[in-house]
Amino acid sequence: MSDEEHHFESKADAGASKTYPQQAGTIRKNGYIVIKGRPCKVVEVSTSKTGKHGHAKCHFVAIDIFNGKKLEDIVPSSHNCDVPHVNRTDYQLIDISEDGFVSLLTENGNTKDDLRLPTDDALLNQVKGGFEEGKDLVLSVMSAMGEEQICAVKDIGIKT
């Protein structure tokens, strides 16, 4: 055939989807849903009865898992909604840089240096204070739809 070499641009992800479909009527409180393109945690669900023209509707009130904003959506209960793949991973804190980035130790021994300090004041003070006191801290990082953010901190003792 041809002797030309084909070059393909490789993408970083393995083609896994950031969301999966789920019927609106099966999404419950404390579950996750995508509203206006943002991953959210459902805080309230109410279902209306079928009306004259068809479908029962689900009214979702949810909070964005990254910025804390309250969002609402109304979807027919028989229709599919996007649900984000939400992962929570623990990393050990190694260092905090002057420009507000943290250096974390992954399970396989590599470092992860692309996360900013949390914007939440209480969490920020807990991370900075614990680090300055020389404590061993484990940070929980929540990731969904290509975004990552530090969401919790655990103290596992003083460095030896």
Side-chain angles (χ1 to χ4, degrees), residues 102-145:
V102 292
S103 185
L104 304 171
L105 185 66
T106 62
E107 273 185 18
N108 58 10
N110 295 332
T111 58
K112 180 175 178 57
D113 302 309
D114 58 350
L115 274 174
R116 285 193 165 281
L117 280 165
T119 50
D120 177 49
D121 287 336
L123 201 55
L124 177 68
N125 294 337
Q126 208 175 346
V127 172
K128 276 189 164 178
F131 181 72
E132 286 163 7
E133 290 169 26
K135 292 180 181 172
D136 262 343
L137 298 177
V138 172
L139 304 182
S140 292
V141 176
M142 192 176 287
S143 61
M145 297 177 67

Side-chain angles (χ1 to χ4, degrees), residues 90-111:
D90 288 347
Y91 299 105
Q92 187 167 351
L93 179 65
I94 301 171
D95 193 21
I96 300 174
S97 64
E98 286 89 40
D99 57 354
F101 282 88
V102 292
S103 185
L104 304 171
L105 185 66
T106 62
E107 273 185 18
N108 58 10
N110 295 332
T111 58

Side-chain angles (χ1 to χ4, degrees), residues 1-17:
M1 303 268 273
S2 85
D3 293 332
E4 292 177 30
E5 283 188 40
H6 294 285
H7 296 285
F8 297 101
E9 285 185 35
S10 64
K11 299 281 188 245
D13 72 58
S17 177

